[in-house]
Amino acid sequence: MQLGARLRALRRAAGLSREEAGHPIRASESKISRMELGRVGFKERDIADLLTLYGVDDHEERRRLLTFVTEANSPSWWHLYSDVLDPWLQTYLDFEQGAELIRTYEVQFVPGLLQTEAYARAVISLGYDPSATEEIERRIRLRMERKQLLLRPDAPKLWAVLDEAALRRPIGGVDVLRGQIAALIELTDLPGVRLQVMPFASGGHAASGGAFSVLRFPYQELSDVVYIEHLTGGLYLDRREEVDRYSAAIGRLFIEAAPLTETPAILRDILKDLGS
């Protein structure tokens, strides 16, 4: 996705149509479209020719983009879980891996990137027949591997606002929730993680419509993407007007939620309420 989106931005900046871009590499307009959407493999020679056509002369920029060719053609780590990976979630994982900033608001659950294994098992089990133990375990392993994103040297920054309800709902039982809250307290020490709580006492707020995420990418030419998950899939929004509304909403949430400095104390209070 990242390479394709960057190629699209460079083509547009050069004022070229897909048809005009395809001619030098003997490709159809539809192939250029599939390349920009990340739905076809990349050839290094084709990408090099396109970069020249788009006027990319900077050696470091060319090297970096050509490096992406190898990465884009290599199966993603989640390929091993294709048997349990829904297409809409695969798209989100692709976006998530390429993001530099993930801003999210959650109402019902702790975000997947921050879940403990026990909590993830409880959440995932809600949507599947208890007898589907192998599929449930595979989905849990997928979620646990996904968490490694936050430990990468180039990890995206995660700024999450959690409704207090998500922190008090005993998903999996009190013991599981207690372990999850304790894990969140530790995660607040990670430099790339910002966690705020929207207290019950705050009343109404800017995101009363429900949970959503806004993902930002390294290149300014790439627009933010809004992700909204529902029962049977995920919705992606990238129209400027829609993205702007959600960005404004989450910006207000950061102001309306309890300050970042209060998060550890709030979590410890919740842990105390849950008992020892």
Side-chain angles (χ1 to χ4, degrees):
M1 182 280 301
Q2 189 178 51
L3 177 57
R6 179 62 174 157
L7 289 173
R8 181 173 65 248
L10 289 169
R11 176 181 58 77
R12 289 176 173 175
L16 297 172
S17 66
R18 292 190 181 93
E19 183 179 4
E20 291 169 329
H23 182 70
I25 63 170
R26 299 164 298 283
S28 64
E29 179 181 356
S30 62
K31 180 178 179 178
I32 295 296
S33 178
R34 293 195 301 273
M35 289 174 67
E36 293 180 352
L37 292 171
R39 294 176 180 171
V40 68
F42 300 95
K43 293 181 179 180
E44 185 171 332
R45 184 183 64 183
D46 289 345
I47 302 304
D49 289 345
L50 287 176
L51 294 179
T52 299
L53 179 66
Y54 298 160
V56 179
D57 300 320
D58 182 81
H59 175 74
E60 182 59 27
E61 175 75 347
R62 291 179 68 93
R63 185 198 63 77
R64 182 170 54 198
L65 291 173
L66 289 173
T67 299
F68 285 159
V69 174
T70 302
E71 296 177 358
N73 289 334
S74 302
S76 301
W77 63 264
W78 56 84
H79 176 74
L80 296 174
Y81 297 93
S82 57
D83 56 319
V84 295
L85 189 58
D86 300 309
W88 57 268
L89 181 55
Q90 181 172 331
T91 299
Y92 180 75
L93 291 176
D94 195 17
F95 280 129
E96 188 176 73
Q97 293 290 312
E100 68 172 4
L101 172 64
I102 302 170
R103 293 168 291 170
T104 188
Y105 169 64
E106 283 289 349
V107 184
Q108 186 171 1
F109 303 116
V110 170
L113 284 173
L114 303 177
Q115 291 178 6
T116 64
E117 184 170 338
Y119 187 91
R121 176 174 284 105
V123 171
I124 292 169
S125 297
L126 291 173
Y128 296 90
D129 189 292
S131 63
T133 53
E134 184 176 350
E135 180 175 0
I136 291 173
E137 289 303 315
R138 293 275 291 158
R139 291 180 180 275
I140 293 168
R141 295 264 55 83
L142 169 64
R143 188 161 299 180
M144 292 301 99
E145 286 200 41
R146 179 183 161 205
K147 287 176 56 178
Q148 299 307 305
L149 173 69
L150 296 180
L151 301 179
R152 289 186 341 198
D154 61 341
K157 296 188 184 308
L158 175 66
W159 193 340
V161 176
L162 276 64
D163 194 283
E164 186 176 345
L167 297 170
R168 291 189 177 275
R169 184 174 289 109
I171 302 293
V174 174
D175 287 344
V176 170
L177 180 59
R178 188 184 297 116
Q180 178 63 74
I181 299 300
L184 289 177
I185 294 173
E186 294 182 6
L187 286 166
T188 58
D189 289 332
L190 286 180
V193 175
R194 291 185 173 185
L195 183 61
Q196 290 179 261
V197 177
M198 182 62 70
F200 287 139
S202 65
H205 52 75
S208 56
F212 65 93
S213 297
V214 183
L215 294 90
R216 176 163 294 168
F217 305 98
Y219 296 108
Q220 292 184 353
E221 302 95 323
L222 305 185
S223 65
D224 291 358
V225 172
V226 175
Y227 172 69
I228 304 170
E229 189 171 322
H230 53 80
L231 187 61
T232 58
L235 177 64
Y236 300 91
L237 309 175
D238 61 2
R239 290 174 52 193
R240 176 64 64 86
E241 318 86 77
E242 295 172 322
V243 171
D244 286 349
R245 289 192 65 179
Y246 278 93
S247 294
I250 203 154
R252 291 198 299 273
L253 281 177
F254 295 149
I255 297 171
E256 296 168 358
L260 281 164
T261 53
E262 296 181 11
T263 298
I266 293 173
L267 293 175
R268 283 193 289 269
D269 285 345
I270 293 175
L271 197 57
K272 183 178 179 181
D273 291 344
L274 292 173
S276 57

